[in-house]
Amino acid sequence: MTKTKEMRVILSILLISAGFGVSAQTATGWDSWKSVDGVEIAQKEAECDLRMGYDQDWKLFRFENTNSYTVILIWDIEMHHNGECVTCNDPNGEYHRTLELQPGEVLEGECKIAVDDRLHAFIQFNDPNYTGASAQLTHFDLKNLQVVPMNNN
């Protein structure tokens, strides 16, 4: 085989491999997680290059109101890092959340710093430059989750 043909074969293999890598990333969809009183909650994990600070892995959330009326979701975040609950017994209400959803509205988390922090949770740092203590999300839940119907008059 000539060097030119050999290079073409190598480039072809690389391009095909890269194509499979892209399709594998985009094929990762939302996993249904909870369904409560007409609100569907899904989740997925994402590697987030935040362009600011260290790269992180996040758990992203998708909330969909399938009701014909507005609802307010109320919950408390329960996160365990390395097996230890870091949000339990929160005296300041820092991890208490509310979210209003219009009929048919869908809100999805994404990998952006300025995005609503109700739509994601930190899993771990994935940046090779990060040298701090390792903290990995080992358990997550939306405790005391309530769906409150709103009067749309």
Side-chain angles (χ1 to χ4, degrees):
M1 192 182 282
T2 67
K3 286 202 180 231
T4 305
K5 282 186 179 180
E6 192 173 306
M7 287 302 289
R8 284 185 186 158
V9 169
I10 291 171
L11 284 173
S12 296
I13 291 170
L14 288 174
L15 288 173
I16 291 169
S17 297
F20 284 125
V22 168
S23 66
Q25 289 174 350
T26 57
T28 57
W30 296 96
D31 296 322
S32 181
W33 187 41
K34 292 180 184 268
S35 181
V36 181
D37 299 331
V39 175
E40 301 296 323
I41 305 171
Q43 65 179 346
K44 69 177 176 179
E45 293 186 7
E47 293 180 4
C48 299
D49 177 0
L50 301 174
R51 306 268 186 244
M52 183 176 168
Y54 297 110
D55 295 345
Q56 302 173 18
D57 292 338
W58 282 0
K59 183 178 288 280
L60 302 177
F61 301 103
R62 179 181 191 275
F63 295 90
E64 179 179 5
N65 181 7
T66 64
N67 295 301
S68 60
Y69 48 86
T70 301
V71 297
I72 294 182
L73 277 70
I74 303 168
W75 73 90
D76 296 299
I77 297 172
E78 182 179 301
M79 290 190 299
H80 293 243
H81 287 150
N82 300 333
E84 180 181 335
C85 185
V86 295
T87 60
C88 295
N89 305 317
D90 172 24
N92 302 319
E94 181 180 355
Y95 299 101
H96 183 75
R97 301 286 190 262
T98 61
L99 180 68
E100 183 175 317
L101 290 171
Q102 300 299 317
E105 184 175 16
V106 175
L107 292 177
E108 293 182 355
E110 54 187 323
C111 289
K112 293 184 180 174
I113 291 282
V115 172
D116 191 335
D117 69 354
R118 297 172 294 182
L119 304 178
H120 70 265
F122 172 82
I123 295 175
Q124 67 183 357
F125 290 107
N126 66 19
D127 195 306
N129 297 315
Y130 179 73
T131 58
S134 173
Q136 182 171 5
L137 186 69
T138 52
H139 174 76
F140 183 90
D141 201 5
L142 304 180
K143 287 293 195 185
N144 308 313
L145 178 62
Q146 300 173 49
V147 177
V148 180
M150 297 302 294
N151 184 353
N152 287 340
N153 290 337

